[in-house]
Every structure is written in C-alpha cells, then in structure tokens.
Amino acid sequence: MIDYNYIEGNLFFDDLNIKNIAKEIETPFYCYSLSYLKNQYSSLDNSINLRDYEICYAIKSNSNQSIIKNFANMGAGADVVSIGEMKRALKANIPPNKIVFSGVGKNPNEIKFALNNDILMFNVESASELKKISDEALIQSKRAPIAIRINPDITAGGNEKISTGKAQDKFGISWKDAYEIYEYASNLPGIEIKGVDAHIGSQINRLEPFSHSFDKLKEITSMLKDKGHKIDIIDVGGGLGVKYKENEEPIDVKKYGKLLSEKFEDLDCKVIIEPGRFLTANAGILVTKILHIKKSDIKNFVIVDAGMNDFIRPTLYNAHHNIIPLKEPKKLENLKCDIVGPVCETGDFFAKDMYLKDINEDDFLAICSTGAYGSVQSSNYNTRPTIGELLINKGEYEIIRKRINEDIIIDKDIISKWV
Ligand code: LLP
C-alpha cells in the first residue's frame, strides 16, 4: 500500500493535498501518483538479472495513455488483449516489436491488424486460432510469430474469478497436449514458432505457484527444443500480487526477480513478464464525496457519489479496499457503517461494516489501491458519467482523462424511425 499521511489535518498523497483538488474537480475521480508508478516499475526492473528480458505492461490493468506512455518511456513493452489495447500501446509509442497479443478470442480484424503492425508475437490459445493466424499471415505474405499459451494446471490467484491456470479454466492448451499443438503449428505455412507462454492468475502473493509454472515452462521448452523446435522466448505472464490490507503480505519483488534468474538464466531465451496490477494498483485512489449519512437501529449507511459502475471490484470479487477520509479524524467515536454508492443495486457497495471516525456529509473519502482494474472496468450503468482521471506529480496535478458526462452518453443513442 502507498503511504498516506495527514499534514495539518489533510490527507496528502504524493505531496499533494487531495482536498484542494476535490474542491476544484468534480467528484468522483481517479487520481494516480506518477512517482509511485515509476518506483514500482524500477523495483521490478532492478530485481531482474537476466541477460535478455522484456517487461510487457499488461495494459488491461490501467489503459490511460499517460500511464502507458510513462512505462513506454521507462522501456516497457505491452501485453494487449484487443485491437483497442494494441492501438493504445502503439499510440503511446510502444514499439510493435515489444507488443505481445494475448487472449482467448482474437477476432479476424485483430489478427489482421496485429500482423500488419509486425508485433513481437501472438500468444495463441487454440488450434483453431493458429490456423486462422496462419491463413491471414499467408494473405500478407508473412509468417506470424507465435507462442502457445500453456495451461499448467496450477491453482493460483486472489480468487476464483481471476485464477486462469487450472485445467478447467478456458485459457491455454493443456500442458499434456503441448507437443501435439507445436507439431501442428510447425506444419502450418504461415506460422513461425517463437516461444512458450503461461499466465496462471492474478493477485498471487506466494512464490510457489510461480515456481511451479516456471518449472513447467522450462520442462516444456526443453522437450520442444529436443524435438527440434526453435524456442527463443519464454513468456511467464503477469500475476504479481500487491498489498490491499494491513495484514496482507505482498509478493517480494526481489525474490520474484531472483526466482526468474534461478529458473531461466541457463536457457538461451528472452524472458517476457506481463505485470499489470503490481505496477498500478497502489498508485491510485478514487476520491468520492459523502452525499448522505443514513442511520438506523439496524444499520448505518454512508452514501457516497461514486458507484459500483465507477469501481466494481468490491462487489464483483468481494475485494477489500481501505477507505480513508481526506480530513483527519479528530473525534474518536466510530460509526459502524456500510459505504455504498447511488446505483440502484444492493451490490453497490465499497465496504461493509467498517468503522469510520468523525465523518460528516460533504466530506471526502479516498478509496485506496484503485489504480489497477478500477477505471478500466467502469461502465455507464444508471446513465452515470465516465469519471475523470488525474495524474499527480510532486505536488501538482494534471487531468489525464476528461469526465464524459451523461449528455454525451445519451447523444450516442439513435432514435429509431419506427418509434
Ligand atoms: N497477462 C495476461 C495474459 C492476463 O490475462 C493478465 C490479467 C495479466 C497478464 C496481468 O495480470 P496482473 O499482473 O495484473 O495480475 N479484473 C481482475 C483482474 C483480472 C486479471 C486478468 N488478466 C481484478 O480486478 O482483480
């Protein structure tokens, strides 16, 4: 978690008094710390001691152009899962030869666009996809660089919905079938085998699952090399966990880096890492205003102006996010309450049965650790706006995404000639 501190009663985040912004910018809004983003990237980069590696930022965790551009400037490549993410990566000046294209359902347009732009490689998840990529490559008189995503059958990840490496998950090809699919790939005229890939899940806070997955990748790499396939790239996926709550022990990035070296330094391969959450989660806060405090014998509700449409992790995954007031609490009595949004759903909550001290209507709260899978998972449910995003740096802030208000959203509808 990032360190928040109160100075003269006000919450400072990256040397900025957040309450001052909240008075100028319409709440709710996301706010990201540039120094934190840079520090996370550097800490991962410095922990890796391999001859040839690439950090391909998983754009899905936070796809704002400023965030991507910052990582691009620091030397990152990108892991993308749609044509939209590919366009975002290219627009932020990530070189095409540092882009890997993952995902279980690439459509023809996306395959064509990726081939046209000569990306580093496709992480392929089925024989059907391989054939379609090969066909399109032939049309473009190219050979498509590919890795097969292996499903190593390992249980890992913060919860069931973000675990991807078990046999019953939709992702990858069973490691038992790896040999057959590589044989098939090698016989397709439009395919050039480049590597192997795995991604076992997200918010993984223990090293063991990574260790198992790396071993599996090593084993498959040796087997494929023995059979005469050329494997130059090992993509180990993302998944590094972060600290969301006090007693949570996040992954030790130095140990993760050491593990990578131990497992792969003797192999003559480029290693790709696809971190998302690790780089962005704790760089962000979501600032929201208390609209109403509703008390009863049974339950108290603090109703804020952010909703589940702005930030869905608590209700979707039961995810814990610390919530702190921008004004330092002075009085000691605690209000036991649910913090909820205005959306017409019982699931519209950010915290349940939490204690807040000294809060009043019109006060502001910061929902912490919202830099990853926050803004990117938002929607306009209840015809609510797409909220703004700010970047802060050494005591200043800049708007990096304008709020998209309801009028613009409504204007996208077309009134049918039949009504
Ligand atoms: N590579 C691939 C192929 C992925 O599918 C993902 C995430 C990543 C890399 C990056 O994983 P990370 O380093 O961020 O753990 N919405 C969920 C998380 C879904 C993750 C999906 N895949 C959440 O809010 O927890």
Side-chain angles (χ1 to χ4, degrees):
M1 277 164 7
I2 199 163
D3 284 332
Y4 307 94
N5 59 324
Y6 289 102
I7 301 177
E8 290 173 2
N10 293 309
L11 185 89
F12 276 66
F13 180 59
D14 207 0
D15 292 337
L16 196 63
N17 182 345
I18 302 298
K19 205 174 79 193
N20 288 345
I21 319 180
K23 283 182 189 156
E24 289 170 16
I25 303 275
E26 199 172 342
T27 55
F29 57 82
Y30 281 99
C31 198
Y32 311 118
S33 154
L34 184 60
S35 62
Y36 190 88
L37 292 164
K38 284 184 192 286
N39 286 343
Q40 284 301 97
Y41 187 90
S42 302
S43 70
L44 177 61
D45 204 13
N46 294 337
S47 79
I48 304 170
N49 197 12
L50 289 163
R51 198 178 29 80
D52 190 8
Y53 70 94
E54 203 78 73
I55 298 177
C56 289
Y57 169 52
I59 281 182
K60 64 171 80 66
S61 85
N62 187 319
S63 57
N64 188 289
Q65 280 291 291
S66 291
I67 307 285
I68 305 171
K69 188 81 195 292
N70 166 60
F71 293 134
N73 291 344
M74 297 184 82
D79 165 53
V80 302
V81 291
S82 68
I83 192 166
E85 287 193 353
M86 226 175 325
K87 288 182 180 178
R88 282 185 185 274
L90 293 168
K91 192 168 177 195
N93 284 344
I94 295 207
N97 66 1
K98 287 187 175 189
I99 297 179
V100 291
F101 188 9
S102 304
V104 72
K106 302 174 189 77
N107 71 38
N109 235 356
E110 294 178 318
I111 293 172
K112 193 169 169 182
F113 185 83
L115 273 167
N116 247 320
N117 280 282
D118 294 321
I119 62 160
L120 177 61
M121 67 176 185
F122 292 83
N123 286 335
V124 177
E125 306 218 15
S126 62
S128 147
E129 189 193 332
L130 259 181
K131 173 79 173 72
K132 285 172 187 159
I133 293 174
S134 173
D135 290 349
E136 177 58 35
L138 291 180
I139 293 170
Q140 295 192 24
S141 308
K142 288 178 178 169
R143 286 176 73 210
I146 66 101
I148 302 288
R149 177 167 175 180
I150 302 295
N151 184 325
D153 196 13
I154 291 169
T155 304
N159 69 60
E160 213 175 74
K161 286 187 187 149
I162 56 174
S163 159
T164 54
K166 290 182 287 157
Q168 65 267 35
D169 296 328
K170 70 176 174 182
F171 299 100
I173 298 277
S174 163
W175 60 273
K176 294 184 200 115
D177 301 330
Y179 172 64
E180 279 78 20
I181 187 126
Y182 274 92
E183 283 294 300
Y184 175 65
S186 67
N187 287 317
L188 288 172
I191 294 293
E192 184 188 3
I193 295 172
K194 278 277 181 197
V196 293
D197 165 52
H199 168 79
I200 52 174
S202 200
Q203 183 56 9
I204 303 169
N205 274 332
R206 291 180 309 117
L207 276 182
E208 291 78 52
F210 288 117
S211 182
H212 288 156
S213 171
F214 297 173
D215 284 340
K216 215 44 351 108
L217 282 168
K218 260 187 103 160
E219 190 186 312
I220 288 166
T221 302
S222 315
M223 180 272 287
L224 292 171
K225 281 186 169 176
D226 286 349
K227 304 276 184 199
H229 294 297
K230 204 164 166 312
I231 303 293
D232 295 327
I233 303 177
I234 300 180
D235 183 338
V236 302
L240 286 89
V242 301
K243 183 168 177 163
Y244 282 106
K245 44 186 153 179
E246 292 312 328
N247 52 4
E248 196 162 32
E249 197 58 58
I251 199 109
D252 179 336
V253 70
K254 288 199 181 114
K255 288 188 182 155
Y256 178 84
K258 201 159 155 256
L259 185 72
L260 281 174
S261 302
E262 273 166 28
K263 301 287 182 192
F264 299 119
E265 69 192 344
D266 59 330
L267 294 185
D268 192 18
C269 289
K270 180 200 278 294
V271 174
I272 289 181
I273 307 116
E274 302 172 348
R277 187 190 313 268
F278 176 81
L279 299 177
T280 53
N282 279 313
I285 55 173
L286 171 58
V287 179
T288 185
K289 188 176 184 171
I290 300 178
L291 297 174
H292 312 288
I293 298 176
K294 184 165 131 176
K295 295 182 181 171
S296 81
D297 295 347
I298 303 165
K299 198 124 190 142
N300 301 313
F301 293 100
V302 170
I303 303 163
V304 297
D305 64 358
M308 64 188 276
N309 69 299
D310 302 307
F311 186 60
I312 202 168
R313 295 197 78 251
T315 190
L316 190 58
Y317 312 115
N318 245 331
H320 171 91
H321 287 264
N322 283 350
I323 299 179
I324 50 178
L326 295 194
K327 185 189 74 190
E328 188 172 20
K330 295 274 186 307
K331 297 182 199 143
L332 285 179
E333 83 271 19
N334 261 325
L335 180 73
K336 186 179 181 192
C337 58
D338 284 7
I339 300 185
V340 300
V343 171
C344 301
E345 298 262 351
T346 306
D348 182 24
F349 67 89
F350 297 112
K352 291 200 160 170
D353 292 330
M354 80 166 279
Y355 288 90
L356 276 178
K357 283 195 189 84
D358 197 10
I359 48 152
N360 295 292
E361 289 175 8
D362 293 337
D363 282 355
F364 299 104
L365 300 175
I367 306 178
C368 302
S369 314
T370 49
Y373 306 109
S375 158
V376 285
Q377 295 199 113
S378 67
S379 77
N380 297 118
Y381 185 39
N382 279 197
T383 310
R384 289 170 49 81
T386 300
I387 64 176
E389 289 178 291
L390 314 181
L391 188 65
I392 54 180
N393 185 31
K394 298 186 185 119
E396 287 182 51
Y397 75 86
E398 234 181 6
I399 296 174
I400 57 167
R401 186 181 66 195
K402 287 188 216 149
R403 186 181 165 99
I404 304 170
N405 72 30
E406 56 284 352
D407 298 319
I408 296 171
I409 294 161
I410 297 166
D411 274 350
K412 287 187 186 151
D413 287 3
I414 298 163
I415 296 181
S416 160
K417 65 183 180 205
W418 297 299
V419 296

